[in-house]
Amino acid sequence: MTHQLDEGDEWQTQLYEAAYRFSVSLRELNDTNPWPENPVLGQAINTLATELWDRRFGLTEIRTALAEAATDLPRYAAGEEYRP
């Protein structure tokens, strides 16, 4: 018997897939960055934040989401600086 995704499951799958594709693209750009003095991640997060603002996400909403993500990351990373 196959499990059929409901609307919420499908939405969550799309959300995770978008984040995954973004992260893969950034890794590829980072690995080929011709200007190592200009870190890719900082530029990407800054550009993402401005793009979110352009798409009518609020400044407080963006700031809160970024801060919450940074606060939660050590739990996910289990004390590791980089994925082993």
Side-chain angles (χ1 to χ4, degrees), residues 52-68:
L52 291 170
W53 189 83
D54 288 345
R55 300 301 167 272
R56 301 184 49 79
F57 286 91
L59 183 58
T60 300
E61 190 177 13
I62 296 165
R63 183 181 292 124
T64 299
L66 292 171
E68 287 175 355

Side-chain angles (χ1 to χ4, degrees), residues 2-14:
T2 57
H3 172 71
Q4 192 151 1
L5 295 177
D6 68 19
E7 187 176 313
D9 290 336
E10 183 61 34
W11 178 91
Q12 187 168 331
T13 298
Q14 290 177 15

Side-chain angles (χ1 to χ4, degrees), residues 2 11 16-17 20 24 38 45 60-61 71 73 76-77 79-80:
T2 57
W11 178 91
Y16 290 157
E17 181 64 23
Y20 170 77
V24 168
N38 296 318
I45 297 303
T60 300
E61 190 177 13
T71 298
L73 190 54
Y76 179 80
E80 298 289 333

